[in-house]
Amino acid sequence: MQAPLAARAARGLSGALRACCTSAPRPGPAPAPRVSVREALGGHSSSGASVQVQGWVRSVRSQKEVLFLHINDGSSLEHLQIVADPSLDNSDLSFGSSVEVQGVLVKSPYKKQNVELKADRIEVIGHCDPKAFPFKYKERYPLEYVRQYPHLRCRTNTLGSILRVRSEATDAIHSFFKTNGYIHIHTPVITSNDCEGAGELFQVEPSSKVKEPGKNFFDVPAFLTVSAQLHLEVMSGAFSQVFSFGPTFRAENSQSRRHLAEFYMVEAEMSFVESLQDIMQVMETLFKVTTETVLSSCPEDVELLHKFVAPGQKDKLEQMLKNKFLIISYTEAIETLKKASQNFTFTPQWGADLQTEHEKYLVKYCGNIPVFVINYPLDLKPFYMRDNEDEPQHTVAAVDLLVPGVGELFGGSLREERLHLLQQRLARLGLTDTYQWYLDLRRFGSVPHGGFGMGFERYLQCILGVDNIKDVIPFPRFPHSCLL
């Protein structure tokens, strides 16, 4: 009897499972759609819509009959006001806590905001001890103080605005090049080339490797890149317009306000270009188009920085955008500096490089309008710059763009495409064997070409008026500091 009973039991269980699996699910309330603070404030969800918002508490104010809460999720400088019954408050609801709020968007009676969220549920995701948290509600901290907390400083309004502007500027630069027909090239971070020839290189070796003279992981010394230029020159033999946007590294022992050990460079290379004027035109247009895009896409963030970090910067920026950039030669720049009433730490003289103090003076002398300095002495510049053949001065077709508050922002040149002149220069420098591949570029279908690089962090300093370059990059790297 046991077998038939077991079979019936199995059939009964099987039928129950089938019924369970095939029966329609019970209808229930659909979860409220999740929206960002920016979407909620921008009217992407209509008034009366039930929504869910997640973020961090920026202020809490509990009254007898109503609880007010402001939250932000980084999508906007503005905060979303939450209005709730005081019964939804709890001891974990404090400045800095992370929360999830569900409720209905309603028209706000307050002039400073269009909508607010009438909450029916507030859940604390992560508690924050307001006494131990280094930033306090309504306090405005100097950037030097905030810099002490690289893991927390993005929670402040100022750094939030800087990083949103940085994101928008990145997108605007990519858009500029794409619109103008440039091909984006991913160039290597590890390289065997020293593009600048300044010797400020970080060498790359496996951490587990015991140092053995003459033996390298790549069989040749390898370094973190100081520039993508030489790799872009390779690509310019197949694509007439290329660009890259990535990290570069300099082992420069500097604690200045405009130098980092790791920073981002925007670099471009153009084939069939025979005039510095053409390169300068791209530089100027890139600067102006990108800046105008940033000003229109995140005006509140820019306004906050111009108001509290750099008063007066708005007018300076408008000057830069509305005026045609000026052009002077290196020789004219030196003569201007020699006539200056200002005493310089470094005495200006022909054949010496321009120092930051010289660059800032020249921009001020030019009415705080960006100025191109062209035609530098050959001995000051790397081997690849085109010889102007202008004896006895002997200059190269190089250009630097100097801007207010920063000094040099762009650097570029025509490249030496004439094989015999390049061979002579490499031979004088003892670099012929190292750069045989570079000579090959001139042997096989070379064309007149040129390009430039722009320090992205310096660009952000320039448009926002931020004094220290360490404050416009998420995680600054500089001598004696590699936190996180």
Side-chain angles (χ1 to χ4, degrees):
M1 292 292 292
Q2 287 182 346
L5 283 171
R8 284 200 300 272
R11 285 196 298 273
L13 179 61
S14 175
L17 286 171
R18 280 198 302 273
C20 176
C21 293
T22 55
S23 62
R26 291 183 178 182
R34 188 174 298 162
V35 299
S36 69
V37 169
R38 186 185 186 93
E39 288 171 329
L41 293 169
H44 294 282
S45 298
S46 59
S47 182
S50 182
V51 298
Q52 190 180 103
V53 180
Q54 297 168 328
W56 291 267
V57 176
R58 291 303 175 93
S59 71
V60 184
R61 186 159 49 94
S62 187
Q63 298 179 350
K64 236 181 186 183
E65 298 179 354
V66 66
L67 168 68
F68 290 104
L69 199 68
H70 284 99
I71 69 169
N72 187 281
D73 62 357
S75 62
S76 166
L77 175 62
E78 295 182 76
H79 305 155
L80 176 64
Q81 178 163 285
I82 312 296
V83 182
D85 189 279
S87 63
L88 294 179
D89 192 5
N90 63 65
S91 58
D92 284 340
L93 201 56
S94 60
F95 175 67
S97 300
S98 55
V99 295
E100 180 177 277
V101 183
Q102 185 165 307
V104 177
L105 286 173
V106 296
K107 186 172 175 58
S108 176
Y110 301 99
K111 291 180 180 179
K112 291 185 178 181
Q113 57 200 17
N114 295 322
V115 297
E116 58 190 24
L117 184 62
K118 189 175 181 181
D120 50 52
R121 182 176 67 84
I122 300 175
E123 180 184 351
V124 176
I125 306 296
H127 173 64
C128 175
D129 180 356
K131 292 181 180 178
F133 196 50
F135 309 123
K136 309 302 178 190
Y137 172 57
K138 280 192 174 180
E139 288 285 333
R140 190 173 297 281
Y141 298 95
L143 289 168
E144 291 79 6
Y145 172 81
V146 175
R147 205 182 303 142
Q148 299 175 73
Y149 304 95
H151 57 306
L152 297 173
R153 66 178 189 159
C154 58
R155 313 267 187 105
T156 64
N157 282 344
T158 304
L159 256 293
S161 287
I162 288 172
L163 295 179
R164 275 188 295 273
V165 169
R166 185 182 174 103
S167 176
E168 291 292 340
T170 299
D171 188 57
I173 287 166
H174 278 275
S175 178
F176 171 85
F177 283 118
K178 184 175 182 180
T179 301
N180 287 282
Y182 286 73
I183 302 296
H184 183 205
I185 302 295
H186 290 118
T187 53
V189 169
I190 299 174
T191 178
S192 58
N193 298 310
D194 178 8
C195 178
E196 298 297 318
E200 296 156 349
L201 300 164
F202 289 103
Q203 189 159 354
V204 177
E205 285 296 341
S207 60
S208 60
K209 179 182 175 294
V210 178
K211 196 70 177 172
E212 298 178 51
K215 291 193 176 182
N216 302 97
F217 183 85
F218 295 103
D219 293 331
V220 295
F223 312 96
L224 295 179
T225 185
V226 298
S227 170
Q229 184 214 306
L230 297 182
H231 295 97
L232 289 180
E233 281 201 63
V234 171
M235 293 295 159
S236 71
F239 305 96
S240 59
Q241 296 184 129
V242 292
F243 83 101
S244 69
F245 190 162
T248 52
F249 307 84
R250 305 279 168 93
E252 202 169 17
N253 191 18
S254 171
Q255 291 283 1
S256 84
R257 297 175 181 272
R258 58 180 216 139
H259 289 96
L260 290 167
E262 178 184 355
F263 56 97
Y264 279 71
M265 283 274 282
V266 179
E267 299 183 78
E269 198 72 21
M270 296 153 279
S271 297
F272 306 100
V273 169
E274 300 184 56
S275 166
L276 266 183
Q277 195 73 42
D278 294 336
I279 296 172
M280 291 187 286
Q281 184 59 53
V282 179
M283 289 181 180
E284 182 170 346
T285 307
L286 170 62
F287 178 91
K288 289 181 174 178
V289 169
T290 298
T291 304
E292 286 164 357
T293 302
V294 168
L295 292 177
S296 65
S297 58
C298 43
E300 299 91 354
D301 292 307
V302 175
E303 184 182 353
L304 178 138
L305 294 160
H306 286 174
K307 183 177 180 180
F308 295 108
V309 176
Q313 186 64 22
K314 181 180 179 182
D315 293 337
K316 292 178 186 176
L317 193 57
E318 287 175 354
Q319 275 281 101
M320 287 186 255
L321 292 174
K322 75 179 183 182
N323 286 290
K324 179 75 177 166
F325 294 177
L326 305 176
I327 303 172
I328 62 172
S329 70
Y330 167 86
T331 301
E332 291 170 327
I334 293 296
E335 290 305 312
T336 299
L337 292 167
K338 284 181 176 179
K339 294 174 185 175
S341 57
Q342 179 176 327
N343 291 321
F344 297 108
T345 304
F346 297 90
T347 303
Q349 55 185 354
W350 203 97
D353 212 348
L354 296 178
Q355 302 297 320
T356 302
E357 59 178 345
H358 302 148
E359 295 169 350
K360 289 185 176 181
Y361 177 86
L362 289 169
V363 176
K364 192 174 180 181
Y365 177 83
C366 292
N368 281 321
I369 296 170
V371 56
F372 292 108
V373 180
I374 64 173
N375 298 333
Y376 283 76
L378 178 141
D379 291 339
L380 282 181
K381 294 297 182 180
F383 66 88
Y384 50 76
M385 296 192 176
R386 197 177 199 275
D387 194 333
N388 283 329
E389 298 185 287
D390 56 347
E391 298 293 354
Q393 284 190 320
H394 210 172
T395 63
V396 289
V399 56
D400 288 340
L401 177 63
L402 312 182
V403 296
V406 173
E408 182 191 341
L409 175 60
F410 284 81
S413 75
L414 295 177
R415 318 308 188 192
E416 185 57 83
E417 87 284 0
R418 295 163 294 185
L419 179 61
H420 69 286
L421 291 177
L422 191 56
Q423 285 174 322
Q424 291 170 14
R425 196 176 305 168
L426 288 173
R428 284 199 306 271
L429 297 170
L431 296 173
T432 301
D433 292 340
T434 304
Y435 290 99
Q436 273 299 324
W437 66 268
Y438 194 74
L439 293 172
D440 281 350
L441 299 179
R442 273 59 180 171
R443 290 192 183 98
F444 307 121
S446 181
V447 299
H449 62 288
F452 62 83
M454 178 186 81
F456 184 50
E457 283 73 27
R458 288 190 186 179
Y459 166 75
L460 294 172
Q461 279 187 280
C462 173
I463 66 168
L464 298 177
V466 175
D467 187 48
N468 198 312
I469 197 168
K470 300 175 185 69
D471 298 321
V472 293
I473 190 169
F475 302 101
R477 301 286 183 254
F478 51 95
H480 315 298
S481 180
C482 187
L483 299 173
L484 300 185

